[in-house]
């Protein structure tokens, strides 16, 4: 018996890192998963790996800032598997030039030099994209009348200011508040909305920092547990929020961050 037997989960950013770990963990607990990602090749590969292990998974190419793509993604879950129970909004960027899987340094240092277009792209992907994913997921869940669980991947950066990362921090603080407001609005539909604020996690997003001694030291110095998190440690938090174990929990932000944000 799995914790998510017969459930259907949609995961944006499901091709890599935290999103992919959620897809794999949810599959292990019995869910069918739909992976939405900008990078179709990596999403197909991630879905194929789950299917090769006996699971049910499907990949869809999406641009998470597109309302139409979010609607199509949610409809795919209904069309292929007949229901939609869980949605994880994990698609995100660390800066406007970020391409997952490639090491691309930030083009500026500090808000004083920030180009408005690069600011807007981070807000679009990390905040507006999450809003659209929430909106389209909830519309289908409300129509189906079976409730649901929506999990937004924010960051410890929603609480902890990171020098040189104003766009990222502001986008994640926005996700935290969006989660709380939407949780209140969705209570009457039995849809729970929660967020996760990971600390530094060993995914492609931290690959650049992990490559240098200085980068590793900086991340460890900020983390009381003195190590980075593994993607599955974030996926286990998502599993709690996705499952009936968290049936009385909504509007919350959990911080699997090695003690980085305590409060
Ligand atoms: N890695 C960390 O240390 C860390 C810490 C806190 C929060 N987070 C958050 O976790 C989430 C996942 O990041 P990750 O570390 O797994 O990085 P990642 O690069 O491994 O995964 C991000 C995924 O999102 C996809 N994506 C990016 N922009 C997209 C778009 N516009 N539309 C659709 N898909 C898009 C990428 O293709 C990629 O597959 C992000 O929201 C990130 O901000 C990461």
């Amino acid at each position: 018996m799995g914790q998510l037997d017969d459930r259907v989960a949609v995961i944006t950013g499901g091709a890599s890192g935290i999103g992919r770990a959620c897809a794999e963990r949810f599959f292990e607990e019995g869910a069918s998963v739909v992976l939405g990602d900008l990078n179709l090749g990596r999403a197909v590969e991630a879905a194929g790996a789950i299917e090769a292990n006996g699971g049910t998974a499907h990949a869809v190419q999406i641009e998470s800032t597109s309302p139409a793509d979010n609607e199509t993604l949610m409809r795919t879950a209904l069309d292929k598997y007949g229901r939609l129970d869980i949605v994880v909004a994990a698609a995100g960027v660390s800066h406007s030039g970020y391409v997952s899987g490639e090491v691309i340094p930030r083009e500026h240092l500090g808000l004083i030099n920030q180009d408005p277009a690069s600011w807007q792209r981070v807000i679009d992907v990390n905040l507006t994209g999450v809003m659209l994913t929430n909106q389209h997921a909830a519309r289908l869940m409300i129509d189906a009348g079976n409730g649901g669980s929506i999990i937004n991947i924010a960051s410890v950066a929603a609480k902890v200011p990171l020098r040189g990362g104003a766009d990222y921090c502001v986008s994640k603080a926005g996700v935290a508040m969006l989660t709380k407001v939407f949780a209140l609005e969705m209570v009457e539909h039995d849809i729970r909305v929660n967020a996760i604020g990971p600390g530094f996690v060993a995914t492609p997003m931290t690959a650049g920092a992990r490559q240098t001694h200085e980068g590793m030291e900086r991340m460890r110095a900020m983390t009381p547990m003195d190590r980075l998190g593994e993607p599955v440690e974030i996926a286990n938090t998502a599993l709690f929020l996705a499952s009936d174990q968290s049936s009385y929990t909504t509007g919350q932000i959990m911080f699997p961050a090695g003690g980085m944000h305590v409060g």
Side-chain angles (χ1 to χ4, degrees), residues 12-19 36-39 42 62-65 89-94 98 100-101 121 125-126 153-156 168 172 197-206:
T12 74
S16 178
I18 291 169
D37 204 286
L38 197 56
N39 190 322
R42 292 170 88 205
I62 61 153
E63 163 54 67
S64 66
T65 61
V93 292
S94 52
Y98 177 73
S100 182
R121 177 65 184 161
V125 176
N126 288 3
I153 306 300
S155 167
V156 77
Y168 186 80
K172 295 300 186 178
F200 296 113
V201 184
T203 73
M205 193 170 277
T206 53

Side-chain angles (χ1 to χ4, degrees), residues 154-162 172 196-200 255 257 260-261:
S155 167
V156 77
K159 288 281 184 187
V160 178
L162 300 175
K172 295 300 186 178
I196 299 175
F200 296 113
F255 291 98
M260 192 171 155
H261 168 65

